Amino acid sequence: METLNRIAGQGANGATMMPIIQGVGRAAIEIAAVLRGAVFRGVLGAQGTENVQGEQQQKLDVLSDEIFLDEMRSTGHVCAVGSEEQEDLLVIDEYTSADWLVLVDPLDGSSNLDICGPVGTIFSIVKRKTANSERPIESDTLQAGVDVVAAGYVLYGPSLMLVCSVGEGVDGFTYNPSNARFELSHPDIRIPQSGGYYSVNESNSAQWLHGMADRLVSVRHTQKLGMRYVGAMVADIHRTLLKGGVFLYPADSKNETGKLRLLYEAIPMGYLLEQAGGKAHTGDMPVLDVVPEALHQRVPVYLGSVAAVEGLIS
Ligand code: AHG
Ligand code: MN
Ligand code: MN
C-alpha cells in the first residue's frame, strides 16, 4: 500500500514538502490521541481565554496549537507559523533561516467537541518572501492562494484522514493503526460535477446579503442537492469533495466579510477544491486570487462543484 511518501514524487515541490507534511501527520496522530482521551484528562471545555478573533478558546484549541507548532519545529524546515490561536506570527527561533511558513487552523469545528462530533486541522504552506538571513515577518504569510505550494486538512472522524495536495491533484490518506502509517486510501480525488449536498448554516439566511437566500433555493432545485451541515468546515468540505455540491459561508448583515478566515480556512480549502476539479469563490473573485492584507482576515466562501458554485455567485 502506498503511504504519505507518495507526495515526494509529485510535481516540482513534492519532495521538498514531504518532511513538513510528515510533520502534519505526526501532529495529527498526537492530536487524535489527545481528543480520544480528553474527557479523562479534564481537557474538554473552555480554557477561559479568548483568541484574537474574540472567540472563547477551548482547552483543546490551545493543546492542538502547541502540538502542531512542536511538530512544525521538529521538521527543521519551517521558520514561522501563523495560527488561528495566535494573534501574531510565531517565529521558530531555532530555524529562522528555513524557507517555509505554515498557516494553520489547529482545531477546526471546536464547537463539536462537547458532542463528540468530527473536528479537523487545516493547513497551507508558503515560501517566505524575506531573505533567509532575516527574521520572518507577518507579511511573509500574506500570499494569495495562487502562490500556495501545498495545503491540506486532517479529519478526526471514525477514521483519521489526511487529505492534501502539492499542486498535482488531491490524495486522501487514512491512518492505519496496525502499522502506524497513513496509507493511500483515496487517490486523485475528483469532485463530482453534479448532485451532492448544499452545506450551510441556514439559520443565518434572513441576514445573508446579495439575495443569497433566493439563489440558494434556486440552485438546490436545479442541481438537485440534498442538505447536510456538520458545522465543522473540515467535515463539511470532506463530504463536498467526495459527494459533490457546495459548502458556503456567505456574508451576512452581522459579518459583512463572512466568518471564515482567508489564510487558514478559505485558501487551503479553495486550493484543494480547485485541485480536485471544483471551484472556490468569494462572491467577488476566485478565493485563490485574493491578496491577503492581514493574518486573521475573513472572507465569504463558496466552495464546491463548478455548476453549484457558479449558480450561487453569478
Ligand atoms: P473554528 O472552530 O476553527 O473557529 O471554526 C469554526 C468554523 C467552521 O468550522 C464552521 O464551518 C463554522 O465555523 C461554523 O460556524 P457556525 O457555527 O456559524 O455555523
Ligand atoms: Mn475553523
Ligand atoms: Mn479552530
Side-chain angles (χ1 to χ4, degrees):
M1 190 67 121
E2 270 190 279
T3 68
L4 218 44
N5 289 335
R6 170 180 168 93
I7 307 280
Q10 292 178 330
N13 296 301
T16 320
M17 290 297 102
M18 195 64 240
I20 302 177
I21 293 175
Q22 278 166 331
V24 173
R26 289 192 301 276
I29 294 165
E30 289 168 60
I31 292 170
V34 170
L35 293 173
R36 220 174 288 130
V39 72
F40 309 113
R41 290 180 49 196
V43 290
L44 278 181
Q47 169 91 357
T49 49
E50 280 187 357
N51 66 15
V52 60
Q53 346 262 340
E55 297 163 346
Q56 281 293 321
Q57 285 180 306
Q58 306 273 321
K59 291 175 189 163
L60 288 168
D61 283 322
V62 175
L63 272 173
S64 306
D65 191 46
E66 287 170 5
I67 291 169
F68 192 88
L69 180 71
D70 278 349
E71 287 302 343
M72 291 302 100
R73 181 185 290 113
S74 82
T75 69
H77 295 282
V78 178
C79 62
V81 173
S83 165
E84 177 186 352
E85 304 306 333
Q86 305 281 345
E87 179 164 6
D88 301 315
L89 182 70
L90 233 150
V91 176
I92 298 181
D93 286 315
E94 296 90 328
Y95 300 106
T96 54
S97 65
D99 278 336
W100 305 99
L101 290 100
V102 180
L103 283 309
V104 67
D105 176 353
L107 198 54
D108 171 68
S110 46
S111 69
N112 273 359
L113 291 168
D114 292 340
I115 57 143
C116 197
V119 291
T121 296
I122 312 171
F123 69 95
S124 67
I125 305 172
V126 293
K127 191 165 196 177
R128 67 188 298 162
K129 293 187 287 187
T130 47
N132 295 68
S133 54
E134 292 170 23
R135 199 173 163 80
I137 52 175
E138 184 171 316
S139 65
D140 282 313
T141 67
L142 304 181
Q143 302 195 36
V146 289
D147 294 321
V148 160
V149 175
Y153 60 78
V154 177
L155 174 57
Y156 308 93
S159 303
L160 175 60
M161 285 199 69
L162 199 166
V163 174
C164 62
S165 175
V166 291
E168 286 232 321
V170 179
D171 289 320
F173 301 86
T174 303
Y175 181 68
N176 183 345
S178 67
N179 61 19
R181 292 187 187 127
F182 279 96
E183 296 191 0
L184 180 67
S185 52
H186 296 65
D188 197 18
I189 298 172
R190 306 294 298 169
I191 185 170
Q193 289 303 332
S194 60
Y197 300 91
Y198 73 96
S199 183
V200 65
N201 186 341
E202 216 161 11
S203 68
N204 297 325
S205 62
Q207 285 86 46
W208 288 341
L209 305 177
H210 317 302
M212 194 49 65
D214 291 341
R215 289 176 194 227
L216 183 59
V217 170
S218 154
V219 166
R220 77 183 198 220
H221 281 113
T222 54
Q223 299 293 318
K224 299 184 174 47
L225 303 178
M227 193 276 175
R228 295 282 188 277
Y229 191 62
V230 175
M233 185 188 203
V234 169
D236 285 313
I237 287 289
H238 188 63
R239 184 192 52 255
T240 305
L241 265 179
L242 297 183
K243 302 290 184 188
V246 59
F247 168 87
L248 59 156
Y249 210 110
D252 63 43
S253 50
K254 289 173 301 181
N255 308 295
E256 292 194 5
T257 53
K259 175 183 180 186
L260 298 180
R261 279 59 54 107
L262 176 62
L263 280 167
Y264 42 81
E265 291 177 322
I267 286 179
M269 293 310 203
Y271 181 87
L272 292 173
L273 257 301
E274 298 238 339
Q275 282 290 323
K279 193 171 173 95
H281 213 270
T282 69
D284 286 329
M285 65 174 91
V287 168
L288 301 189
D289 289 347
V290 179
V291 178
E293 289 171 359
L295 183 52
H296 300 289
Q297 178 178 345
R298 296 170 194 259
V299 279
V301 292
Y302 303 88
L303 304 167
S305 307
V306 176
V309 172
E310 285 180 350
L312 290 175
I313 60 168
S314 50

